[in-house]
Amino acid sequence: QGDLVKALDFMQKALRIQMQSLGPDHQKTGSLYFDMADVCERQGDLIKAKQFYGKAHALWLRTLGEDQPDTKMAQDRLERLK
């Protein structure tokens, strides 16, 4: 559990850097949101997990389209958490 807390902290710092360098609509930003959601889900924080999966899904849907595998994977995770 402690390693997951540290991982999420590092990911949040990376997200800030990534948003500045790559921008909010970059595919890697979506990947980071997805990974943060996975960590939150493993911690049992399903509310935050759903928020991050939602951000990843919305970004990928907007930039990659609905048929892209990452978009579908994020949608599946969102549906699983309902």
Side-chain angles (χ1 to χ4, degrees):
Q1 187 82 6
D3 290 341
L4 293 176
V5 171
K6 288 179 184 178
L8 189 58
D9 185 48
F10 285 125
M11 288 176 175
Q12 289 171 333
K13 290 175 184 175
L15 180 64
R16 285 192 292 273
I17 294 167
Q18 204 165 37
M19 293 282 269
Q20 291 175 350
S21 62
L22 299 176
D25 289 331
H26 196 278
Q27 183 177 357
K28 288 185 179 182
T29 302
S31 296
L32 193 49
Y33 280 135
F34 189 89
D35 292 343
M36 291 169 71
D38 185 59
V39 170
C40 289
E41 187 175 0
R42 289 172 188 232
Q43 288 178 314
D45 191 343
L46 302 184
I47 292 171
K48 279 188 182 177
K50 191 172 181 180
Q51 290 171 348
F52 286 129
Y53 284 136
K55 288 181 180 193
H57 179 258
L59 190 155
W60 288 335
L61 185 62
R62 187 173 61 253
T63 60
L64 302 175
E66 63 183 301
D67 293 329
Q68 206 275 343
D70 288 338
T71 306
K72 289 180 179 182
M73 185 171 50
Q75 178 65 40
D76 289 344
R77 295 282 180 98
L78 278 170
E79 289 175 3
R80 190 181 71 205
L81 290 180
K82 285 185 179 180

